[in-house]
Amino acid sequence: MGEFDLIERYFKAPARDMAQRNSAVAQGIGDDCALLQPAAGMQLAISSDMLVEGRHFFADVDPLTLGHKALAVNLSDLAACGAKPLAFTLALALPQADEAWLAPFSRGLLALAAEHNCALIGGDTTQGPLNICITVFGEVPKNQALLRNAAKVGDDIYVSGTLGDARLALEVMRGKLALSTEAFTAAKTRLETPTPRVALGMALRGIASSAIDVSDGLQGDLGHVLQQSAVGAVIDAAVVTQLLAINLIATQAIKTTINSQFTSQKQLQYALSGGDDYELAFTASVSKRQAVQAAALASNTPVTRIGQIEAEPGLRLIDAQGQTVPNIFASFDHFQ
Ligand code: ADP
Ligand code: MG
């Protein structure tokens, strides 16, 4: 199969209908450039994320979930800015034109794209070590994008969904941790098919003072907000620990096994610095508490208040009694 057959069969043909129905797409796959027309008064939100074999995924990962994840991590960036997805491009390097890989990859990718009405409008295909680079385009009303630099002293800090599950799954796959089948399956689902919080991000326009998506761990990513907003924060360690999904799904029997091999210190570490969560961390003034709850409800996304922005720089952890918890956990860094 040649390059053009491959593009036609797995990307152009299955994406055609979606592009035709999407009013922002003036020209889809097939010309030198795609043409995108955001609605009047909108700004384009643009983000790229690359997935490299051996670094971001194992060589034997299910191509269906890989297709999902490649787009999900990009949509998560749009969500963090409160942008509505419009379209994306796909740059793909493949060792060979393997249809047994391409078919499920394309299915997983385009299923998530259809869910968000985000049209595939172009890309590039080349032979080489497996590498997937997606650029997403979204729209957000002018000057309403949620940014990292506007958290204010006194604001509440929130996080969506659960934390640390993806890292748990990774540790099990690396043979460093044992979990029950039920807990591992739940954690693996979060690692391989994360849910980008697009509806929540859009619902938080005009409510959140700042936002970021948690890809490298809450501690590090919230740290970017603190730094760019020139503020600090205090967060409740017990509340964050409870956000580990195995704590939420676990039956009492599982919980006992978890607690025996898995200290609360360790659980806090996974929740704080696990990485690959693709949840939203955001801030909002105390006067917006009801509005935040309404946004969570409207977008059908659980949201938990975990702390407060303070003037003193840095991130502090406190326990239920308000005592400082030593913070020894670093976030994930590709170069460490
Ligand atoms: P060019 O030579 O002008 O870069 P190509 O021959 O690489 O164009 O691609 C032909 C068309 O197919 C272009 O519209 C391009 O955007 C699209 N395309 C190439 N690879 C992909 C892909 N993996 N997914 C979606 N569209 C693709
Ligand atoms: Mg090309």
Side-chain angles (χ1 to χ4, degrees), residues 180-224:
S180 71
T181 310
E182 183 196 5
F184 175 60
T185 305
K188 189 159 167 267
T189 302
R190 295 271 296 147
L191 173 69
E192 294 187 342
T193 50
T195 307
R197 301 301 193 180
V198 172
L200 176 64
M202 288 171 65
L204 289 171
R205 287 177 190 163
I207 297 171
S209 52
S210 74
I212 190 166
D213 70 317
V214 181
S215 53
D216 296 332
L218 176 67
Q219 170 159 310
D221 287 325
L222 187 58
H224 296 308

Short mmCIF file of all heavy atoms in Angstrom, two decimals, residues 180-224:
data_model
loop_
_atom_site.label_atom_id
_atom_site.label_comp_id
_atom_site.label_asym_id
_atom_site.label_seq_id
_atom_site.Cartn_x
_atom_site.Cartn_y
_atom_site.Cartn_z
N SER A 180 -5.16 -5.61 42.60
CA SER A 180 -6.20 -6.55 42.20
C SER A 180 -6.54 -6.32 40.74
O SER A 180 -6.31 -5.22 40.22
CB SER A 180 -7.45 -6.34 43.05
OG SER A 180 -8.04 -5.12 42.67
N THR A 181 -7.09 -7.32 40.07
CA THR A 181 -7.46 -7.18 38.66
C THR A 181 -8.42 -6.00 38.48
O THR A 181 -8.27 -5.21 37.54
CB THR A 181 -8.14 -8.47 38.16
OG1 THR A 181 -7.31 -9.56 38.54
CG2 THR A 181 -8.29 -8.46 36.65
N GLU A 182 -9.38 -5.88 39.38
CA GLU A 182 -10.38 -4.82 39.28
C GLU A 182 -9.72 -3.43 39.33
O GLU A 182 -9.98 -2.57 38.49
CB GLU A 182 -11.39 -4.96 40.43
CG GLU A 182 -12.51 -3.94 40.37
CD GLU A 182 -13.28 -3.83 41.69
OE1 GLU A 182 -12.88 -4.48 42.68
OE2 GLU A 182 -14.26 -3.07 41.71
N ALA A 183 -8.83 -3.26 40.29
CA ALA A 183 -8.17 -1.97 40.45
C ALA A 183 -7.23 -1.69 39.28
O ALA A 183 -7.17 -0.57 38.76
CB ALA A 183 -7.41 -1.92 41.77
N PHE A 184 -6.50 -2.73 38.84
CA PHE A 184 -5.57 -2.54 37.72
C PHE A 184 -6.33 -2.18 36.44
O PHE A 184 -5.92 -1.29 35.69
CB PHE A 184 -4.71 -3.79 37.51
CG PHE A 184 -3.82 -3.71 36.29
CD1 PHE A 184 -2.87 -2.70 36.18
CD2 PHE A 184 -3.95 -4.62 35.25
CE1 PHE A 184 -2.06 -2.59 35.06
CE2 PHE A 184 -3.14 -4.53 34.13
CZ PHE A 184 -2.20 -3.51 34.03
N THR A 185 -7.45 -2.87 36.19
CA THR A 185 -8.23 -2.59 34.98
C THR A 185 -8.71 -1.13 34.98
O THR A 185 -8.61 -0.44 33.96
CB THR A 185 -9.45 -3.53 34.90
OG1 THR A 185 -8.96 -4.87 34.98
CG2 THR A 185 -10.21 -3.36 33.61
N ALA A 186 -9.18 -0.67 36.12
CA ALA A 186 -9.64 0.72 36.22
C ALA A 186 -8.49 1.69 35.98
O ALA A 186 -8.62 2.67 35.24
CB ALA A 186 -10.28 0.96 37.58
N ALA A 187 -7.34 1.39 36.57
CA ALA A 187 -6.19 2.28 36.44
C ALA A 187 -5.67 2.28 34.99
O ALA A 187 -5.33 3.32 34.44
CB ALA A 187 -5.09 1.84 37.41
N LYS A 188 -5.67 1.11 34.36
CA LYS A 188 -5.16 0.98 33.00
C LYS A 188 -6.06 1.73 32.01
O LYS A 188 -5.58 2.32 31.03
CB LYS A 188 -5.09 -0.51 32.64
CG LYS A 188 -4.37 -0.81 31.35
CD LYS A 188 -3.90 -2.26 31.35
CE LYS A 188 -3.45 -2.71 29.98
NZ LYS A 188 -4.50 -3.36 29.20
N THR A 189 -7.35 1.71 32.26
CA THR A 189 -8.27 2.46 31.42
C THR A 189 -7.93 3.95 31.45
O THR A 189 -7.95 4.63 30.43
CB THR A 189 -9.73 2.26 31.90
OG1 THR A 189 -9.99 0.86 31.88
CG2 THR A 189 -10.71 2.97 31.02
N ARG A 190 -7.59 4.43 32.63
CA ARG A 190 -7.25 5.84 32.76
C ARG A 190 -5.91 6.16 32.08
O ARG A 190 -5.72 7.24 31.55
CB ARG A 190 -7.19 6.21 34.24
CG ARG A 190 -8.54 6.10 34.92
CD ARG A 190 -9.30 7.40 34.83
NE ARG A 190 -8.58 8.42 35.55
CZ ARG A 190 -8.56 9.70 35.20
NH1 ARG A 190 -9.21 10.11 34.14
NH2 ARG A 190 -7.88 10.57 35.89
N LEU A 191 -4.98 5.20 32.11
CA LEU A 191 -3.69 5.40 31.44
C LEU A 191 -3.87 5.42 29.92
O LEU A 191 -3.30 6.25 29.22
CB LEU A 191 -2.71 4.29 31.84
CG LEU A 191 -1.37 4.26 31.08
CD1 LEU A 191 -0.52 5.47 31.48
CD2 LEU A 191 -0.60 2.97 31.37
N GLU A 192 -4.67 4.47 29.41
CA GLU A 192 -4.72 4.29 27.96
C GLU A 192 -5.81 5.10 27.27
O GLU A 192 -5.66 5.45 26.10
CB GLU A 192 -4.89 2.78 27.66
CG GLU A 192 -3.66 2.00 28.09
CD GLU A 192 -3.69 0.55 27.67
OE1 GLU A 192 -4.77 0.03 27.36
OE2 GLU A 192 -2.61 -0.06 27.66
N THR A 193 -6.91 5.36 27.97
CA THR A 193 -7.98 6.15 27.34
C THR A 193 -8.43 7.30 28.24
O THR A 193 -9.54 7.28 28.77
CB THR A 193 -9.20 5.27 26.97
OG1 THR A 193 -9.57 4.48 28.11
CG2 THR A 193 -8.90 4.34 25.82
N PRO A 194 -7.54 8.27 28.42
CA PRO A 194 -7.92 9.41 29.27
C PRO A 194 -9.09 10.19 28.65
O PRO A 194 -9.28 10.17 27.44
CB PRO A 194 -6.65 10.26 29.31
CG PRO A 194 -5.87 9.87 28.11
CD PRO A 194 -6.21 8.43 27.85
N THR A 195 -9.86 10.85 29.53
CA THR A 195 -11.01 11.63 29.10
C THR A 195 -10.66 13.12 29.11
O THR A 195 -10.48 13.68 30.18
CB THR A 195 -12.19 11.42 30.09
OG1 THR A 195 -12.41 10.02 30.23
CG2 THR A 195 -13.44 12.12 29.63
N PRO A 196 -10.53 13.74 27.94
CA PRO A 196 -10.24 15.18 27.97
C PRO A 196 -11.46 15.95 28.49
O PRO A 196 -12.58 15.67 28.10
CB PRO A 196 -9.96 15.51 26.50
CG PRO A 196 -10.62 14.44 25.71
CD PRO A 196 -10.66 13.21 26.58
N ARG A 197 -11.22 16.89 29.39
CA ARG A 197 -12.32 17.57 30.10
C ARG A 197 -12.79 18.81 29.34
O ARG A 197 -12.84 19.93 29.88
CB ARG A 197 -11.87 17.95 31.51
CG ARG A 197 -11.43 16.76 32.35
CD ARG A 197 -12.54 15.74 32.51
NE ARG A 197 -12.22 14.76 33.58
CZ ARG A 197 -13.01 13.77 33.92
NH1 ARG A 197 -14.16 13.59 33.27
NH2 ARG A 197 -12.67 12.95 34.88
N VAL A 198 -13.14 18.59 28.08
CA VAL A 198 -13.49 19.69 27.18
C VAL A 198 -14.74 20.45 27.64
O VAL A 198 -14.74 21.69 27.70
CB VAL A 198 -13.69 19.14 25.74
CG1 VAL A 198 -14.25 20.22 24.83
CG2 VAL A 198 -12.36 18.61 25.19
N ALA A 199 -15.79 19.73 28.02
CA ALA A 199 -17.05 20.39 28.41
C ALA A 199 -16.84 21.21 29.68
O ALA A 199 -17.35 22.33 29.79
CB ALA A 199 -18.14 19.34 28.63
N LEU A 200 -16.06 20.69 30.61
CA LEU A 200 -15.79 21.44 31.84
C LEU A 200 -15.02 22.73 31.52
O LEU A 200 -15.37 23.81 31.99
CB LEU A 200 -15.00 20.59 32.83
CG LEU A 200 -14.57 21.32 34.12
CD1 LEU A 200 -15.79 21.73 34.94
CD2 LEU A 200 -13.63 20.46 34.97
N GLY A 201 -13.97 22.61 30.71
CA GLY A 201 -13.18 23.78 30.35
C GLY A 201 -14.04 24.88 29.75
O GLY A 201 -13.95 26.05 30.13
N MET A 202 -14.93 24.51 28.84
CA MET A 202 -15.80 25.51 28.21
C MET A 202 -16.78 26.10 29.23
O MET A 202 -17.06 27.29 29.21
CB MET A 202 -16.56 24.88 27.05
CG MET A 202 -15.65 24.59 25.85
SD MET A 202 -16.49 23.60 24.58
CE MET A 202 -17.77 24.73 24.06
N ALA A 203 -17.27 25.25 30.15
CA ALA A 203 -18.23 25.73 31.16
C ALA A 203 -17.56 26.67 32.16
O ALA A 203 -18.23 27.44 32.84
CB ALA A 203 -18.85 24.54 31.88
N LEU A 204 -16.23 26.61 32.26
CA LEU A 204 -15.51 27.45 33.23
C LEU A 204 -15.13 28.82 32.67
O LEU A 204 -14.55 29.64 33.40
CB LEU A 204 -14.25 26.73 33.73
CG LEU A 204 -14.49 25.54 34.66
CD1 LEU A 204 -13.19 24.78 34.91
CD2 LEU A 204 -15.11 26.00 35.99
N ARG A 205 -15.45 29.08 31.40
CA ARG A 205 -15.18 30.42 30.84
C ARG A 205 -15.88 31.47 31.71
O ARG A 205 -17.06 31.31 32.04
CB ARG A 205 -15.75 30.54 29.43
CG ARG A 205 -15.00 29.77 28.38
CD ARG A 205 -15.74 29.94 27.07
NE ARG A 205 -15.26 29.06 26.02
CZ ARG A 205 -15.95 28.78 24.91
NH1 ARG A 205 -17.15 29.32 24.71
NH2 ARG A 205 -15.44 28.00 23.99
N GLY A 206 -15.15 32.52 32.06
CA GLY A 206 -15.76 33.60 32.85
C GLY A 206 -15.91 33.24 34.32
O GLY A 206 -16.40 34.04 35.11
N ILE A 207 -15.52 32.03 34.71
CA ILE A 207 -15.64 31.59 36.11
C ILE A 207 -14.25 31.34 36.70
O ILE A 207 -13.89 31.88 37.74
CB ILE A 207 -16.50 30.31 36.21
CG1 ILE A 207 -17.93 30.60 35.73
CG2 ILE A 207 -16.49 29.77 37.64
CD1 ILE A 207 -18.79 29.36 35.58
N ALA A 208 -13.47 30.50 36.02
CA ALA A 208 -12.12 30.19 36.52
C ALA A 208 -11.20 31.39 36.27
O ALA A 208 -11.30 32.06 35.24
CB ALA A 208 -11.57 28.96 35.82
N SER A 209 -10.32 31.67 37.23
CA SER A 209 -9.35 32.75 37.03
C SER A 209 -8.11 32.23 36.32
O SER A 209 -7.39 32.99 35.66
CB SER A 209 -8.97 33.38 38.38
OG SER A 209 -8.56 32.38 39.31
N SER A 210 -7.83 30.93 36.43
CA SER A 210 -6.70 30.32 35.72
C SER A 210 -6.99 28.83 35.57
O SER A 210 -7.83 28.29 36.30
CB SER A 210 -5.38 30.50 36.49
OG SER A 210 -5.36 29.63 37.61
N ALA A 211 -6.31 28.19 34.64
CA ALA A 211 -6.49 26.74 34.47
C ALA A 211 -5.28 26.15 33.76
O ALA A 211 -4.56 26.84 33.02
CB ALA A 211 -7.75 26.43 33.67
N ILE A 212 -5.08 24.85 34.00
CA ILE A 212 -4.02 24.09 33.34
C ILE A 212 -4.49 22.64 33.29
O ILE A 212 -5.32 22.24 34.12
CB ILE A 212 -2.68 24.22 34.12
CG1 ILE A 212 -1.50 23.64 33.32
CG2 ILE A 212 -2.77 23.56 35.50
CD1 ILE A 212 -0.14 24.04 33.90
N ASP A 213 -4.03 21.87 32.32
CA ASP A 213 -4.36 20.45 32.40
C ASP A 213 -3.20 19.71 33.05
O ASP A 213 -2.04 20.09 32.90
CB ASP A 213 -4.75 19.85 31.03
CG ASP A 213 -3.60 19.74 30.07
OD1 ASP A 213 -2.79 20.70 29.98
OD2 ASP A 213 -3.49 18.72 29.38
N VAL A 214 -3.54 18.68 33.81
CA VAL A 214 -2.54 17.96 34.59
C VAL A 214 -2.00 16.81 33.75
O VAL A 214 -2.64 15.78 33.61
CB VAL A 214 -3.17 17.42 35.90
CG1 VAL A 214 -2.10 16.69 36.72
CG2 VAL A 214 -3.77 18.55 36.72
N SER A 215 -0.83 17.03 33.14
CA SER A 215 -0.22 15.97 32.35
C SER A 215 1.04 15.43 33.00
O SER A 215 1.37 14.27 32.84
CB SER A 215 0.08 16.48 30.93
OG SER A 215 0.82 17.67 30.98
N ASP A 216 1.74 16.26 33.74
CA ASP A 216 2.99 15.82 34.38
C ASP A 216 2.86 15.66 35.89
O ASP A 216 3.87 15.56 36.58
CB ASP A 216 4.11 16.83 34.07
CG ASP A 216 4.43 16.87 32.58
OD1 ASP A 216 4.22 15.85 31.90
OD2 ASP A 216 4.86 17.93 32.10
N GLY A 217 1.64 15.68 36.40
CA GLY A 217 1.43 15.58 37.85
C GLY A 217 0.92 16.90 38.39
O GLY A 217 1.36 17.97 37.98
N LEU A 218 -0.01 16.82 39.34
CA LEU A 218 -0.65 18.03 39.89
C LEU A 218 0.37 19.01 40.44
O LEU A 218 0.30 20.21 40.20
CB LEU A 218 -1.62 17.61 41.01
CG LEU A 218 -2.29 18.77 41.75
CD1 LEU A 218 -3.24 19.52 40.83
CD2 LEU A 218 -3.03 18.27 42.99
N GLN A 219 1.32 18.48 41.19
CA GLN A 219 2.26 19.37 41.86
C GLN A 219 3.04 20.22 40.87
O GLN A 219 3.15 21.44 41.03
CB GLN A 219 3.23 18.52 42.68
CG GLN A 219 4.39 19.30 43.22
CD GLN A 219 5.02 18.60 44.39
OE1 GLN A 219 4.32 18.21 45.33
NE2 GLN A 219 6.31 18.42 44.36
N GLY A 220 3.59 19.59 39.85
CA GLY A 220 4.38 20.32 38.87
C GLY A 220 3.52 21.25 38.04
O GLY A 220 3.89 22.40 37.78
N ASP A 221 2.36 20.77 37.61
CA ASP A 221 1.53 21.60 36.73
C ASP A 221 0.89 22.77 37.47
O ASP A 221 0.87 23.88 36.97
CB ASP A 221 0.48 20.72 36.03
CG ASP A 221 1.13 19.84 34.96
OD1 ASP A 221 2.09 20.33 34.31
OD2 ASP A 221 0.72 18.69 34.78
N LEU A 222 0.43 22.53 38.69
CA LEU A 222 -0.07 23.65 39.49
C LEU A 222 1.08 24.63 39.75
O LEU A 222 0.88 25.84 39.79
CB LEU A 222 -0.65 23.13 40.82
CG LEU A 222 -1.36 24.15 41.69
CD1 LEU A 222 -2.51 24.80 40.96
CD2 LEU A 222 -1.84 23.50 43.00
N GLY A 223 2.28 24.09 39.88
CA GLY A 223 3.47 24.93 40.05
C GLY A 223 3.64 25.93 38.91
O GLY A 223 4.05 27.07 39.13
N HIS A 224 3.29 25.53 37.67
CA HIS A 224 3.38 26.46 36.54
C HIS A 224 2.40 27.62 36.72
O HIS A 224 2.72 28.78 36.42
CB HIS A 224 3.05 25.75 35.22
CG HIS A 224 4.04 24.68 34.87
ND1 HIS A 224 5.40 24.89 34.84
CD2 HIS A 224 3.86 23.37 34.55
CE1 HIS A 224 6.01 23.76 34.52
NE2 HIS A 224 5.10 22.83 34.33
#
